[in-house]
Amino acid sequence: MFADEPARLGESRLSDGRLLGWAEWGPPDGVPVVLCPGAATSRWLGFGAGVVEALGVRLVSVDRPGLGVSTPAPGRTFSDFAGDIRQLGVLRGLGRPAVVGNSQGAPFALACAEEGVASALAVVSGADEVAAPEFASTLAADLRGLVERTASDPVGAEEFFAGFGAEAMWGMVMTASPGCDLAVYQDPDFAVAYRRALDEGFVQGAAGYARDTVLAMGRWPFALDEIAVPVDIWYGERDTSHSPDNGALLATRMPGAHRRVVPGTGGALLWTHAEPILTSLLEKASAAR
């Protein structure tokens, strides 16, 4: 199995009255690891079925505002999200957790690292900073157009992304993924879980996804060279969707970041290589304490 049902589901009320939805896997007294999920997916899609239990990990996946059951927060920023996770850490007794950022969740995880919320970080098949000037000449024409549109008219870009839905997202993933990833995504059990997470992600409409996408496609406001926590950067060598260079530039921008490119796999790395990803993350988090 690539993913299984959450062991616990809940919502926590933040200081401004908003609700933040979460799901948990593994022992409730395990080592806390917060998951920032991929684009438009809700708290329902975890990873590491069986692995989190074996490693003693308390995996916590969080609905970003406007997705799943989390209260919308129009105009929110990366820093706002890091603040939400800081509050959740207090409310749920997570302390300073290790954090995993998958796909579009990667820059949100980086925000947690930059603001000292995370003890260690794993970027897995992470959406890279495609608006970085170093990538301008390497982007496909359609992606470059979206990046330029987001930079010149972020409000209009957000309205454009709000036209997407669960079916469109599923179609994009199926069209853009190599065969090694489709073997995961089209696995009958995984497909049910993934489709459910997409449906949940859009249950309040597309505004949450649209805000996430505008933030992720714009220039990131992070001082990446000031991130002091240990960082693993993981990409599959066949992943052509998340980073123009499989994280090579990203790794150079963070002191001490360790980049790993896994042969024979693509963007589904979070589910095919959960054990080494979590094992390394736990080692780094333990050493950082």
Side-chain angles (χ1 to χ4, degrees), residues 46-79:
F47 72 100
V51 174
V52 294
E53 292 81 5
L55 293 179
V57 168
R58 177 187 175 189
L59 180 67
V60 185
S61 182
V62 180
D63 285 341
R64 290 187 288 277
L67 280 73
V69 297
S70 290
T71 308
R76 60 186 165 85
T77 65
F78 286 120
S79 182

Side-chain angles (χ1 to χ4, degrees), residues 172-269:
M172 286 171 55
V173 171
M174 294 303 103
T175 300
S177 298
C180 55
D181 288 342
L182 292 177
V184 177
Y185 301 148
Q186 295 177 349
D187 172 84
D189 292 331
F190 186 85
V192 169
Y194 194 2
R195 294 296 295 264
R196 181 179 63 184
L198 285 172
D199 289 341
E200 287 275 333
F202 284 102
V203 73
Q204 300 185 70
Y209 161 72
R211 185 61 184 166
D212 280 358
T213 305
V214 165
L215 289 172
M217 279 202 170
R219 291 306 310 268
W220 294 352
F222 313 133
L224 292 175
D225 60 345
E226 295 181 8
I227 289 179
V229 302
V231 180
D232 278 332
I233 299 175
W234 295 81
Y235 284 94
E237 68 169 348
R238 298 184 185 177
D239 184 355
T240 60
S241 300
H242 293 105
S243 171
D245 63 357
N246 277 355
L249 175 63
L250 184 61
T252 66
R253 298 171 67 188
M254 287 183 282
H258 185 189
R259 174 175 170 257
R260 306 164 190 248
V261 179
V262 181
T265 190
L269 196 63

